[in-house]
Amino acid sequence: MPKRQIIILLTTWLAMTLCSISIAAPQQAPRASMLANSCIICHGQNGSSNGPAIPSIAGLSSEYFIFTMEGFKNGEIPSTVMGQIANGYSTEETQLLADYFSTKTFIKAKQSFDAKLARKGAKLHEQYCEKCHAEGGQSVQDDAGILAGQWTIYLSWALKDFRTNKRQAGKKMQQRLDKLYARKGEQGFTALLHYYSSQQ
């Protein structure tokens, strides 16, 4: 094949490849946005929940989002409907959702709290939780979920599931929860919840 024809073919192939990339990239965001529409019905616009029983999912790290969805899929995380919903998404779709919500801003819930209990909770968090939930429970970098400003009712249910082994925690987390409960009882968990709800 003449050199000129080879150059023309290569140039055409390169142009088509670049064109397909430029077309595919913008479509990624709209697709993720469309997938997210089924989430915002319960979790609120951009993943910021308006209801105390449903957690906000905006701002979660992609890793934690995927970890949680996998937990719903395999039944390790108890749920009413999330198991069925999670199983409806492919691995690729779950990744798209994770990346989409990770770019959204976590909006702390406006809710009542007891200032005295919140101060006690701050000390307990520092002692039992800070190593994995840094910055008072608001760091995203830990890939461990956001506690600060999350809805109290949801957190109370999640803590109860962990404490009663209905939901499996990591070994270190379970040890810390058991130690906290042995030393402070339910009042310790209540103080923690008031601390997280105080961060608005």
Side-chain angles (χ1 to χ4, degrees):
M1 183 180 292
K3 183 177 180 181
R4 186 168 179 274
Q5 286 184 313
I6 294 175
I7 293 174
I8 292 173
L9 285 172
L10 287 174
T11 303
T12 303
W13 173 81
L14 180 60
M16 291 177 66
T17 301
L18 291 174
C19 184
S20 65
I21 292 174
S22 64
I23 291 173
Q27 289 179 340
Q28 196 85 321
R31 185 185 174 197
S33 179
M34 289 179 65
L35 287 170
N37 284 336
S38 61
C39 303
I40 65 177
I41 295 173
C42 294
H43 292 281
Q45 189 68 33
N46 292 325
S48 294
S49 172
N50 294 316
I54 299 175
S56 291
I57 56 177
L60 297 178
S61 70
S62 295
E63 290 79 4
Y64 183 74
F65 187 100
I66 292 171
F67 171 79
T68 303
M69 290 291 276
E70 288 299 319
F72 284 128
K73 283 184 179 182
N74 58 35
E76 290 182 0
I77 300 178
S79 68
T80 51
V81 297
M82 276 306 302
Q84 294 178 335
I85 292 173
N87 275 300
Y89 292 112
S90 66
T91 300
E92 179 192 3
E93 289 171 334
T94 300
Q95 182 69 62
L96 285 173
L97 285 170
D99 293 340
Y100 176 82
F101 284 111
S102 70
T103 66
K104 304 304 178 183
T105 301
F106 181 86
I107 299 176
K108 295 177 179 178
K110 300 295 182 183
Q111 50 194 333
S112 61
F113 64 92
D114 183 288
K116 186 176 180 180
L117 284 174
R119 288 193 293 272
K120 290 181 179 179
K123 295 178 181 178
L124 292 174
H125 173 87
E126 183 66 31
Q127 184 177 357
Y128 294 98
C129 312
E130 179 67 18
K131 285 187 177 180
C132 295
H133 297 279
E135 299 176 18
Q138 60 185 341
S139 174
V140 180
Q141 304 304 319
D142 297 321
D143 295 329
I146 300 173
L147 303 178
Q150 186 61 271
W151 286 106
T152 300
I153 291 179
Y154 164 74
L155 284 181
S156 68
W157 290 347
L159 273 173
K160 184 177 181 180
D161 284 344
F162 280 124
R163 188 174 61 76
T164 59
N165 294 317
K166 189 176 180 181
R167 178 176 175 181
Q168 294 300 310
K171 184 177 180 180
K172 289 184 178 180
M173 178 180 175
Q174 193 62 56
Q175 288 176 342
R176 290 177 181 276
L177 288 174
D178 291 343
K179 188 176 292 185
L180 171 59
Y181 186 72
R183 293 178 177 177
K184 302 295 181 179
E186 289 291 347
Q187 291 182 341
F189 288 107
T190 299
L192 271 180
L193 292 172
H194 279 271
Y195 169 60
Y196 298 135
S197 63
S198 72
Q199 299 188 59
Q200 302 178 20

